[in-house]
Amino acid sequence: LCRAGYACLRFDYRGHGDAPLPFEEFRIKYAVEDALNAVHYLESLGKVDSSRIGVVGLSMGGGVAVKITSILENIEALVLLAPALHFPQLIKRGRAKPVNGYVYMGAHRLKVDNALELAGFTVIELAPKIKAPTLIIHAVDDGVVPINQSRRFYKDLRVEKRFVELSGGHVFNDYKARERLITEVRNWFISHIPLE
């Protein structure tokens, strides 16, 4: 997107990547706050047309992107990549059990209360409220977030929309799939937020 001429902001949610806060303290409400703050930061720069913002979200970030797009009026394009839209279904698949006040997920753990908050997070019912043209890209072989979440959300969208099914697992670990994903995202932004 930068090469195509777009100003882009990429950030880590609290408890993720280089952001402060250990992962075990992460709460889904923090992710929504962080995403809203990112949009407000862009608006405050004065160098970005804040009436023409696009949002891209991957996995949990896809669910967060849906949530903020349902709140904000100035989102002109939405892209969801393997979006986690209904955590109750994902939690049932994982069947994590609390141990000593934590829920363990592979190499990570969350405090039980934070895990319960995350387990109840769902935005799948927000599809009819989305006003931004929406592109969804999901791998048919995604072993983390079932593609049926994206299919259901897509069916309920009432805006211009496009659904692309690829391969490569949850994070599109296939060269051709990744190249197609990049092309689809770039073209979606060019079509819906054209550069002047």
Side-chain angles (χ1 to χ4, degrees), residues 3-4 6 11 14 37 70 87 105 110 112 122 128 154 156 162 165 175 180:
R3 278 195 300 261
Y6 291 92
F11 67 94
R14 278 175 274 179
N37 287 336
S70 74
F87 270 85
M105 301 168 290
L110 270 179
V112 170
T122 182
Y154 181 80
D156 292 340
R162 178 168 167 73
E165 295 184 12
Y175 182 81
R180 170 107 186 266

Side-chain angles (χ1 to χ4, degrees), residues 106-181:
H108 303 286
R109 71 181 187 177
L110 270 179
K111 289 185 174 178
V112 170
D113 288 345
N114 301 356
L116 289 172
E117 179 185 304
L118 181 62
F121 183 70
T122 182
V123 294
I124 207 151
E125 75 287 349
L126 294 177
K129 296 180 181 178
I130 298 302
K131 296 177 184 171
T134 303
L135 168 66
I136 301 174
I137 303 176
H138 209 126
V140 293
D141 56 348
D142 189 331
V144 178
V145 177
I147 196 170
N148 69 336
Q149 288 192 12
S150 286
R151 288 175 177 153
R152 179 178 160 198
F153 188 80
Y154 181 80
K155 181 178 72 71
D156 292 340
L157 283 168
R158 303 288 178 257
V159 293
E160 182 184 347
K161 58 188 178 178
R162 178 168 167 73
F163 193 100
V164 177
E165 295 184 12
L166 299 176
S167 60
H170 185 56
V171 292
F172 310 98
N173 285 324
D174 174 87
Y175 182 81
K176 287 184 179 180
R178 182 72 58 93
E179 288 299 302
R180 170 107 186 266
L181 180 147

Side-chain angles (χ1 to χ4, degrees), residues 71-82:
I71 295 169
L72 300 172
E73 296 290 327
N74 59 339
I75 305 302
E76 292 293 310
L78 175 63
V79 175
L80 304 174
L81 308 174

Side-chain angles (χ1 to χ4, degrees), residues 31-32 35-36 39 55 63-73 75:
V32 173
L36 288 169
V39 173
V55 175
V64 172
V66 167
K67 183 69 173 175
I68 70 164
T69 301
S70 74
I71 295 169
L72 300 172
E73 296 290 327
I75 305 302

